[in-house]
């Protein structure tokens, strides 16, 4: 079955450490997204990519980095510059944008906590 | 710019009662509107969407929503609540066709089902 796989499901970060969250999709979607979810704040867009080797900052990109070397993969690195990384991170994908953003398919998320 | 407001961060209904989750949007152009559901520790799943055409949209699990342009609303309803409907629900709008326009999510409404 097609879908989005995020790993790991739970991740712990030490102070000063970079960590990378994995996101893989086999839906043949061109567009991929990373969101951060905090209680009571809904979803906030971190980065998105409409095509391989291209990505744009979302609303809260500071302290995060991404790469898009393959269509299927869009890893997110939470750097030590992100001072409050504890959150639930969601990866999503969608068909290519043709004038409007399309409905997104989501992975099951990675919960990141600070040790 | 577009925006979404979900009225009520928590809603409680009795099993078998009507479910009504409210969503109002702001947009300068005809919007695309979405409702997503999120179960604990999972990603979001698309319930239904409105793009153009019929203003009453039917989705999965017996949910439906009606686009009312005059009221800038897209409320989600279900005639009879079931215990399995307990989850968090997100309304979202996609309103622009410019490069920087995005899907905007509301802050979510947690639905509690009382036995």
């Amino acid at each position: 079955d097609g879908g989005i796989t995020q790993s790991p499901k739970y991740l712990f970060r030490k102070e000063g450490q970079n960590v990378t969250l994995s996101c893989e999709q086999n839906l043949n979607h061109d567009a991929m997204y990373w969101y951060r979810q905090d209680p009571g704040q809904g979803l906030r867009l971190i980065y998105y990519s409409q095509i391989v080797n291209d990505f744009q900052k979302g609303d809260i990109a500071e302290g995060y980095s991404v790469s898009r070397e393959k269509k299927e993969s869009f890893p997110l690195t939470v750097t030590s510059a992100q001072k409050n990384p504890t959150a639930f991170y969601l990866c999503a994908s969608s068909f290519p944008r043709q004038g409007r953003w399309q409905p997104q398919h989501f992975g099951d998320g990675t919960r990141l906590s600070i040790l | 710019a577009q925006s979404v407001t979900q009225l009520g961060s928590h809603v409680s209904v009795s099993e078998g009662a009507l479910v009504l989750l409210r969503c109002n949007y702001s947009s300068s152009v005809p919007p695309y509107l979405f409702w997503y559901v999120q179960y604990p520790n999972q990603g979001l799943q698309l319930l239904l969407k409105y793009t153009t055409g019929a203003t009453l949209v039917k989705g999965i699990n017996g949910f439906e929503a009606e686009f009312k342009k005059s009221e800038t609303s897209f409320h989600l309803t279900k005639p009879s609540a079931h215990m399995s409907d307990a989850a968090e629900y997100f309304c979202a709008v996609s309103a622009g066709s410019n490069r920087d326009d995005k899907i905007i999510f509301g802050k979510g409404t947690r639905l509690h089902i009382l036995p």
Side-chain angles (χ1 to χ4, degrees), chain A residues 68-82:
Chain A
R68 187 83 188 278
E69 298 177 1
K70 298 187 301 181
K71 184 177 183 178
E72 301 79 15
S73 178
F74 191 41
L76 173 74
T77 296
V78 184
T79 74
S80 58
Q82 172 50 246

Side-chain angles (χ1 to χ4, degrees), chain B residues 6-25:
Chain B
Q6 292 185 240
L7 298 177
S9 57
H10 292 264
V11 170
S12 296
V13 300
S14 298
E15 191 174 17
L18 172 72
V19 175
L20 171 61
L21 303 182
R22 299 177 187 274
C23 173
N24 288 89
Y25 69 91

